[in-house]
Amino acid sequence: MSANVPAPVVSIAYHSGYGHTAVVAEAVRAGAAATGATVHLIKVDEITEAEWALLDGSDAIVFGSPTYMGTASGAFHVFAEATSKRWFGDVWHDKVAAGFTNSASKAGDKLNTLQFFQMLASQHGMSWVSLGLKPGWNSTTGSEYDLNRLGFSSGAAAQTNADEGPEGVHKADLATAEHLGRRVAEHTRVVVAGRAALAAAAV
């Protein structure tokens, strides 16, 4: 990375009801941090004014929540509604966005949660980054340990058995979440560098 281009700042705004989604959020953080990005983990059900400011100053925001009853958790919905204050001022306009979710079922209507995140990002005028992986575990030569074993493309999806704690989050899903974190950080680095180059050319 050029010394003249600062490392991108990626914030992960998430809710975790029982700890499973927090484990996935940490995997996203690890993936982004491995690229040199500055990463903030923000629990939306405990968010402070200082953390709102961190989100406002971030180059990218990754949304995360468990999927409950076919959508993001109630706590995340409260946060999403509170972002309307940013919407009025276009505070998050043109930031990079992405998302991840976890549920007990293999599918579990997780797509609806990811689409909710996409719509939230679109409302704010953000640019969505997909998972960027082809589906895994969909042939006789595949394995449940493939990246993107659940076959989602719009974001990272994880599955944890209902009778297991956070330690039961599938290793392949954590690796997929790490991939998402890296992809978001790398994409954001290109955006930040491009904007810096455009600004320099305009001088």
Side-chain angles (χ1 to χ4, degrees):
M1 186 185 302
S2 170
N4 296 323
V5 179
V9 179
V10 178
S11 284
I12 301 167
Y14 75 98
H15 173 247
S16 184
Y18 299 98
H20 306 88
T21 307
V23 173
V24 182
E26 173 56 32
V28 176
R29 185 210 63 78
T35 72
T38 298
V39 189
H40 304 296
L41 276 174
I42 297 173
K43 298 179 180 180
V44 300
D45 54 329
E46 301 174 2
I47 192 167
T48 65
E49 286 302 318
E51 288 173 327
W52 277 112
L54 286 177
L55 291 176
D56 295 344
S58 297
D59 300 301
I61 302 174
V62 184
F63 302 122
S65 168
T67 293
Y68 293 155
M69 302 305 294
T71 187
S73 66
F76 192 93
H77 275 268
V78 170
F79 162 77
E81 190 170 320
T83 69
S84 62
K85 295 179 180 178
R86 273 70 191 165
W87 177 84
F88 279 109
D90 288 331
V91 177
W92 292 358
H93 202 270
D94 288 336
K95 292 185 186 296
V96 173
F100 61 94
T101 187
N102 176 81
S103 73
S105 298
K106 295 294 189 294
D109 293 323
K110 284 189 276 278
L111 178 59
N112 196 49
T113 300
L114 294 173
Q115 289 177 329
F116 171 73
F117 294 153
Q118 285 181 301
M119 184 57 67
L120 176 62
S122 296
Q123 288 270 318
H124 283 282
M126 303 169 81
S127 298
W128 187 262
V129 174
S130 66
L131 182 59
L133 288 173
K134 289 186 169 59
W137 200 22
N138 63 358
S139 71
T140 56
T141 60
S143 161
E144 68 171 301
Y145 295 99
D146 291 344
L147 285 177
N148 196 21
R149 70 185 182 112
L150 300 178
F152 288 80
S153 59
S154 52
Q159 180 269 336
T160 313
N161 292 328
D163 56 353
E164 289 187 294
E167 72 285 350
V169 179
H170 201 286
K171 301 304 182 186
D173 298 341
L174 294 180
T176 301
E178 287 183 18
H179 169 88
L180 178 68
R182 286 192 302 272
R183 179 169 165 82
V184 169
E186 290 167 354
H187 180 85
T188 305
R189 180 175 61 181
V190 172
V191 171
V192 169
R195 287 174 180 163
L198 288 172
V203 173

